[in-house]
Amino acid sequence: MAGTAHAQTATTTLPTYAGKTQVITLPTNEVTLTGRIDGVRARWVVIGTAAGVALTDPASVVTSARFVAPGTYMFELQSLNASGAVISRSTTRVVVGAAPAAGVFRERLLTPAGGINAAEYRFLAAHITDPDVVDYRLGPKYEHFDHTGEAPAPTLWGPDMTSGQGLWPFGILPANNPGEPEKCLPPSQLPRSDEEELARGLDGAGWLVGGQQAFLPDNPLDPDFRFGVANTRGADGAVFNARRFRNTEGGLCMRMIASWYPDWWNRNGIAQPYNSQVRRLVETTRPDLPLVPVVIARGRANASQISFAAFKDGTIVPMIIGNSAPELFDATPLQLPKGMVPTAMAVTPYNEFLVVSVWDTNTVSGRLAFIALRPREMAVGSPEQTPNTRWYWGLPGAWTNRGMKLLGMVNLPFAAPTSLDVSNNLVLGNPRGYGANDDPARGDLARASARAIWSKINPIYPPFGADGIPDPDWSQTASGGYAVVASRAENKVAFVDMTPLYQYYRSMYLTSQRNYDRTVDASTTDPAKWPYTFAVKPSQRPRVVSTITVSQPTSVNAGLQVRGALSDRSTDIFERLGRRSPREAWSNSEPERYLARSRAFVAAMDGTVRIFNVQGLMFPKSPVGPSVPAEPLGTFKAGRNPRFAFVNGTSTAAGDDLWLVSRGDRRVTFAWPTGEVQYSFTDSRLKDPVGGAVSFNAAGFGGRGPGKAVLAPFISITDFGGKAIATYAVEPRRGELGELYPFRSPAGPVDALFGSIAPFPGRPFMIDLEEII
């Protein structure tokens, strides 16, 4: 932190000044001393004992001081003339408080008066991926709370209680069938090649769920694990048979175990101890990249196989996994302005924008950075058709990404944002296997015919065949949306209206030929070329519309409605449970039809989850208006210090289900977007759960019925202190999932089945997952 200049010119007329008193509390052990002199050279000296104090550069007017013990330390800044004589001096002090006692959690950001301590703020930002700071960011753990009178956590039962590989066989072939013994093998015993597979008399097919996890490596010098972000397979399923490919009566297996090592099913980088894009960047052009990432993020709707890692110097690296072809992907990183330290990150549902909360260490203030993405158009077919000619900035897209551009910043009403989520008012279909936009007259927005279709569809809840348009699920873009961001230390939650941004992109892409043509002249560096920055086109800039006081908000969830492979919970509630209400004139739709999209969720340290009405931010025509009422619609309870798990479009029964992992109680809670808690569970194997990701595992491709397919939703839990990924199958509370793996233990029906504990050579703190195949 030392300054680059050791002298100040003699023309200075202001007197020498050593700066104001600073207060820190261990384990924060560093402050910046910023002085001013009226001579030509500076010298800092410690008054009294210098034991336990280290100055980075005593001859610089701006230097750093580090401490190893509590106490009050005095520093004198001396101003010297050209001969080295002291001509003036000034003193300051630093008060270093003792570290809190074991079992006591302290918000290190705060002064005794409750304000932001600038020295602590800058220290935490500079050390945001140090183990003790990551631990602080994750919040108080089990031992920080009173558990007097609580019963011990049970030990949950699972179908595989012996191998530890989470191997769950299922099928109807007799034991003497040659393929039956092979149907459920641990990774070490799987075939290693196509040739070996056939030589063993096997044919097979697999189902994979993968994503990334961020972690603190045990060995920062390890050639594979040092990058701090791994491609992690969350679970998979397989069918082997000895007679013909994809025999619908073959033996089936689900492996409920996380893996970061490749095996026969996990090829093409789906499971490896590093992410290829991050590793390549470090080994080629950025050996100085400050490993490990602060945060990772991906879109929560279907086909979000692009994701992002943000590092403490403001570098944001795009990553891919699964079906995204590397040749159709731009791995060029983006750099935030100097002094902007990322703390949380979220991708809009269909990969339109990346939003990053930052601590601005230049001014000790919080900001949101908005970054436009350039994904491939939704629902186009194979490369020999038309998909790889249509890449639209800021519009819904799938599979891959060809660019990032920083549009600008929005100031937040607090300094230290710690959690963030985003949403919009789209409910698009699953693009896998669909080519609805292949026809240029429908999908090529350079044509007036396509723009007319897209602009006509109402994104609130377009019925099938809306306005005579068949399959409206992919030919639309958002007209409203928002970000919700919280500061745990400052007890604040802000809602940011992104409708101006979405509406601006609609006007550029879906109106006149002249506007569309302006989007073709694009640049990732020129602010006056598409996509335009906020400075060039300020009308698109999102705006903070509501700031609400919530005591110690630990995590936020922007309600998301996804019509994934298993429909969505909002429709499920509306159709199956029959919770109908009068049709609203402004939307021509029952409120239940947009239930999840009209609610945001804020979890607090005591386990209370508040539900807020964000209908006015999602639907511009709503009479609620563009603000969020401070009074919540309702509340429900999870465990203490809860964090929302990542839930993708192919998850339990719906992408709008709510899952919370509570570090303070080692508890997992499942609730519907209505706020109705379905169940929660604990397990004696969980040591320090801090987050998770929910997805959907399957084996077999023969449709529904015994022996044809078996499936189960699951949650992968990051166990920070236990250094492991724990996997559990979870009962989705829905009866139309086909051949669901039996949620029964020897003692009777259960809500969760134990899968496995996969030890990891480090401490995982974030994970997200996407259905890959």
Side-chain angles (χ1 to χ4, degrees), residues 144-229:
H144 289 134
F145 294 94
D146 182 10
H147 299 279
T148 303
E150 295 180 5
T155 300
L156 298 188
W157 182 87
D160 176 10
M161 298 294 283
T162 56
S163 79
Q165 298 287 339
L167 303 175
W168 295 7
F170 193 86
I172 62 172
L173 287 181
N176 62 357
N177 183 283
E180 188 73 2
E182 304 276 3
K183 71 185 180 183
C184 211
L185 294 171
S188 62
Q189 298 177 31
L190 284 174
R192 295 301 181 199
S193 66
D194 290 334
E195 293 76 14
E196 181 184 346
E197 178 189 19
L198 296 176
R200 286 162 59 170
L202 301 171
D203 283 322
W207 167 290
L208 305 174
V209 176
Q212 277 83 33
Q213 63 163 312
F215 60 90
L216 301 176
D218 285 343
N219 179 9
L221 301 179
D222 185 283
D224 288 331
F225 288 92
R226 69 187 183 97
F227 304 96
V229 56

Side-chain angles (χ1 to χ4, degrees), residues 606-621:
D606 66 357
T608 301
V609 181
R610 293 169 173 83
I611 306 171
F612 290 98
N613 183 1
V614 293
Q615 185 188 106
L617 299 182
M618 292 295 265
F619 307 116
K621 294 182 179 180

